[in-house]
Amino acid sequence: MPTLDDVSRIAAALPGSEEREMTGGRTWLVRRKTYAWECHPWPSIPADVRAIIAAETVVSVKVADELDRLALVQARPDVFLHTTTRWGEPKVAFRLAAIDPRHLAELVTEAWYLQAPKYLHRELDAASG
């Protein structure tokens, strides 16, 4: 079962990534652009989703577009939440305890790619071989 420390470990391996503690929890950024964050049960979130976030650890990551988000939610509605807030769109939120560790690494890395500049892409690609 993945934890926030697993997200931190994945993020720490990505060039230029940094972790900050924010009001709502832990946040991961690259060049001051957020790509993953721990969700907080804000009042603006629908009540059903807010209850899930209050009861368990939920993480959001940036996605390429709304179609990517919808595909994830439709494929695994037991893992991915249907909505949170409009802030940070496009994004997808998921139950951390329910996600496969390999899929977690893929989601965090893809979110980083969406926010990182090209020179950091090249650095990661070179390190990956």
Side-chain angles (χ1 to χ4, degrees), residues 69-82 92-95 97-100 103:
R69 186 192 74 76
L70 285 172
L72 290 166
V73 171
Q74 289 175 355
R76 295 292 313 271
D78 58 319
V79 175
F80 295 94
L81 305 182
H82 62 86
V92 68
F94 56 90
R95 296 173 154 145
I99 194 123
D100 177 78
H103 198 190

Side-chain angles (χ1 to χ4, degrees), residues 26 29 48 58 81 95 100-101 113 116 119 125:
R26 292 157 81 173
L29 308 97
D48 61 331
V58 173
L81 305 182
R95 296 173 154 145
D100 177 78
Y113 261 101
Y119 77 92
D125 293 343

Side-chain angles (χ1 to χ4, degrees), residues 6 8 16 25 30 32 42 50 67 69 71 80-82 88-89 92 94 108 119-121 125-126:
D6 293 315
S8 292
V30 60
R32 295 184 304 275
W42 301 110
R50 190 170 59 243
L67 290 176
R69 186 192 74 76
F80 295 94
L81 305 182
H82 62 86
E89 295 290 346
V92 68
F94 56 90
V108 171
Y119 77 92
L120 289 177
H121 292 188
D125 293 343

Side-chain angles (χ1 to χ4, degrees), residues 27-86:
T27 302
W28 294 269
L29 308 97
V30 60
R31 302 281 300 159
R32 295 184 304 275
K33 293 181 179 180
T34 302
Y35 66 89
W37 59 96
E38 179 181 4
C39 292
H40 187 74
W42 301 110
S44 58
I45 295 173
D48 61 331
V49 176
R50 190 170 59 243
I52 294 168
I53 294 170
E56 59 187 280
T57 304
V58 173
V59 172
S60 280
V61 294
K62 295 294 262 183
V63 292
D65 55 37
E66 182 64 11
L67 290 176
D68 283 350
R69 186 192 74 76
L70 285 172
L72 290 166
V73 171
Q74 289 175 355
R76 295 292 313 271
D78 58 319
V79 175
F80 295 94
L81 305 182
H82 62 86
T83 188
T84 55
T85 64
R86 299 295 300 161

